[in-house]
Structures are given as structure tokens and as C-alpha cells.
Amino acid sequence: MTTTFKVTSLSPAHRDHLLSLADNVFFPAGHRLFEEHTTADHFWIMKTGTVTLDSQLPRRRRAEIESLGPGELIGLSWLFPPFEWELGAETVSPVRAYQFDASQIRALCRSDPEFGFAISQWVGLVLTQRLHATRGRLLDLYESAARA
């Protein structure tokens, strides 16, 4: 079982170990994967399709934060207490993905410190990339508002 990871910080051995624990899943377009402030009990690596991450604004519709594609990790909150989603996620198109049970992967991380360190580094890199992308979008919005 192989897939393309956009963040390649996992060694082939760790990647294969992780993928050996995956379930193959399919979601139709318009499916909500998770909502903000609910339990983060799974995560996914996309094989095909598009997912948007969003945030519910008070008295407004959801605001799209980022769009994710094949090879990308969906969900970061499963690794960090209190294990609740910070954002929501919805499929834009049909999605095929590897699905992981978060508690199973956290237990494996505790029992195999080398694997746990690799997973923490991988998720941390994804988190850092997403923070940089969000900062760029916020600066663009600020500049647009300043010109208006």
C-alpha cells in the first residue's frame, strides 16, 4: 500500500507502518468529515479529491480556510489534547482516502517512541505549513480591506 505524501518527513518504514493501519474510505461530495469543537477521533490522508477546511463565523456562513488535495493530511487535532477539532472539514468532490483511528495511532506512538517522534515531526511540519499559508491569506485580506 503506497501513496504520495506532500510532506515527506516520514521514512519509508514509518510511512509503510502507518499505512498498514489504514482503512480505505470513500466520501461523496458535500460530506462533512468533522465539525469544530467535536472529538477528533480519526484522521485521513487523501488519495483523490478535494476537501476544504473551514471555520464557523458568528451569525455568518462558514469561512473557507484552506483547500486540500491528494497526498495531504486531513486533521491535526487528533494528536494534541484535548483531541477536539479546531476547524471543520467538508468534501468538495468525491474523496478516496486512507482513514486512521486516532487512539490506535496515539497508542502506537506511546509504545514505539521512534515512530511517535516521526509522527509528531510529520504532523508538526504540516501544522507549520498551514500556519504560514493562513498568515499569507490573512495578510492578503488585510491588504484588500486597507485598499477598500
Side-chain angles (χ1 to χ4, degrees):
M1 187 181 346
T2 61
T3 190
T4 301
F5 285 71
K6 292 216 173 166
V7 176
T8 57
S9 65
L10 286 178
S11 71
H14 288 137
R15 185 171 43 248
D16 290 346
H17 192 183
L18 179 65
L19 290 174
S20 74
L21 302 170
D23 292 319
N24 288 294
V25 294
F26 171 81
F27 300 106
H31 177 80
R32 293 294 295 174
L33 291 171
F34 50 85
E35 299 289 346
E36 291 176 72
H37 310 297
T38 61
T39 302
D41 54 2
H42 289 88
F43 65 97
W44 302 263
I45 298 170
M46 288 182 48
K47 293 194 270 184
T48 63
T50 305
V51 169
T52 57
L53 300 177
D54 57 44
S55 183
Q56 183 65 51
L57 301 174
R59 296 179 301 279
R60 295 178 188 226
R61 63 183 182 89
R62 290 183 179 102
E64 183 179 319
I65 304 299
E66 188 165 6
S67 184
L68 305 176
E72 294 194 88
L73 174 63
I74 305 169
L76 304 171
S77 301
W78 64 272
L79 188 57
F80 307 105
F83 310 118
E84 290 183 357
W85 298 117
E86 293 294 325
L87 300 171
E90 185 170 320
T91 60
V92 175
S93 64
V95 167
R96 293 194 186 287
Y98 296 110
Q99 178 174 284
F100 301 88
D101 178 280
S103 62
Q104 178 187 31
I105 302 304
R106 286 192 305 265
L108 180 58
C109 288
R110 286 189 300 275
S111 69
D112 181 347
E114 184 181 324
F115 180 79
F117 181 75
I119 293 295
S120 296
Q121 290 292 298
W122 170 54
V123 173
L125 285 171
V126 174
L127 180 58
T128 299
Q129 290 175 342
R130 295 211 179 136
L131 285 171
H132 284 291
T134 300
R135 181 180 180 269
R137 281 189 299 282
L138 288 173
L139 289 173
D140 289 344
L141 287 171
Y142 178 76
E143 287 176 3
S144 294
R147 285 190 297 257

